[in-house]
Amino acid sequence: LALNGKIREVGDKILASNGKEVDFASALESCEEAGGTLATPMNEEENKAILDIVKQYNRYAYLGIKEGETSGQFNYINGMPLNYTKWYQYEPNGKGTEKCVEMYTDGSWKDRKCNLYRLTICEF
């Protein structure tokens, strides 16, 4: 993971991006191979730090959040329920067809299909 100054520290997390745009599974895999996971905002401060990287590249990014067994109910990748959300107005609206979550360049979230190419941002 070549970092070239693309690192943000927030709380006890370190966020980093390799600048690559890949599908959700590949993004998650590359983060896990590097010893981390996909960036997952747990509060406003972390959401802003991820947004800094999103803005730097001007690309939407996948977050470490996925729709669970229940349609419309999203959880962290580890299966824990969300304790912080920043959904865009009228989101999530995919009703089981959009199982992944992306961050817009304004910091809000939208549910999306998992096969789109989005910026990889990892947390460690």
Side-chain angles (χ1 to χ4, degrees):
L1 203 61
L3 299 169
N4 309 333
K6 309 291 195 256
I7 297 179
R8 295 275 181 287
E9 282 189 60
V10 56
D12 55 3
K13 287 183 182 179
I14 293 171
L15 301 169
S17 178
N18 58 9
K20 291 198 173 114
E21 290 183 79
V22 294
D23 64 26
F24 180 86
S26 302
L28 179 59
E29 188 180 357
S30 62
C31 289
E32 288 178 343
E33 279 174 2
T37 190
L38 269 175
T40 309
M42 307 291 247
N43 55 47
E44 185 66 26
E45 187 187 12
E46 292 181 7
N47 205 71
K48 282 198 175 98
I50 296 167
L51 176 60
D52 281 347
I53 299 176
V54 165
K55 282 182 168 167
Q56 187 174 0
Y57 287 98
N58 198 26
R59 299 275 182 275
Y60 297 168
Y62 278 128
L63 298 176
I65 299 169
K66 272 196 101 168
E67 191 169 33
E69 297 303 311
T70 310
S71 178
Q73 187 184 353
F74 286 79
N75 299 310
Y76 295 117
I77 293 225
N78 64 11
M80 298 294 290
L82 301 181
N83 60 1
Y84 165 85
T85 59
K86 186 120 184 174
W87 295 110
Y88 191 73
Q89 191 174 11
Y90 309 123
E91 298 291 340
N93 63 7
K95 301 271 188 289
T97 61
E98 299 178 325
K99 296 197 165 290
C100 290
V101 178
E102 68 182 9
M103 180 184 283
Y104 278 162
T105 46
D106 67 357
S108 65
W109 307 354
K110 179 174 181 11
D111 56 337
R112 273 290 198 216
K113 292 194 182 314
C114 301
N115 61 351
L116 302 169
Y117 280 57
R118 295 291 179 260
L119 182 63
T120 303
I121 303 176
C122 305
E123 69 176 38
F124 302 94

